[in-house]
C-alpha cells in the first residue's frame, strides 16, 4: 500500500481517508497535511469524510467490495443530515 504514495502526490490529492489496518503503512508515509485519518470501520470513515467535504469537492473511493467502501459511497450520495 505504500506504493500508492507517489500516485497520490502526483495527483495532488488534498486528503486521503483510509479504511483498514492494511492502510496503516500508507498513512505512515503520507505527508501530515494529506492525512485525513485511518479508520478501522467504514462508518467512522464516512462520518469523518462527510464532516470534511465542502460543496464542489471531488471524491474518489478506491477499494474492494470486501472493504465495504460501497457503504461510504451510499452515505456520501445520501447527502448531509442522513444517517
Amino acid at each position: 500500500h505504500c506504493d500508492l504514495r507517489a500516485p497520490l502526490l502526483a495527483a495532488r490529492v488534498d486528503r486521503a481517508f483510509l479504511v483498514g489496518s492494511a492502510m496503516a503503512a500508507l498513512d505512515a508515509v503520507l505527508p501530515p497535511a494529506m492525512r485525513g485519518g485511518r479508520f478501522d470501520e467504514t462508518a467512522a470513515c464516512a462520518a469523518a469524510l462527510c464532516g470534511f467535504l465542502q460543496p464542489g469537492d471531488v471524491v474518489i473511493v478506491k477499494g474492494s467490495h470486501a472493504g465495504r467502501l460501497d457503504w461510504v459511497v451510499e452515505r456520501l450520495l445520501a447527502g448531509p443530515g442522513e444517517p
Side-chain angles (χ1 to χ4, degrees):
H1 292 98
C2 292
D3 292 341
L4 293 173
R5 180 184 188 271
L8 291 173
L9 291 172
R12 298 179 7 187
V13 168
D14 290 321
R15 293 281 190 290
F17 292 78
L18 309 171
V19 178
S21 59
M23 299 307 285
L26 175 58
D27 190 52
V29 298
L30 290 177
M34 191 184 285
R35 295 179 192 156
R38 193 201 57 80
F39 305 89
D40 291 323
E41 302 292 330
T42 55
C45 180
L49 185 54
C50 287
F52 175 79
L53 291 175
Q54 298 294 313
D57 284 352
V58 175
V59 177
I60 297 173
V61 177
K62 164 68 176 93
S64 67
H65 286 290
R68 294 287 305 150
L69 293 181
D70 56 323
W71 190 89
V72 174
V73 173
E74 290 172 13
R75 173 63 188 89
L76 293 172
L77 291 173
E82 295 298 319

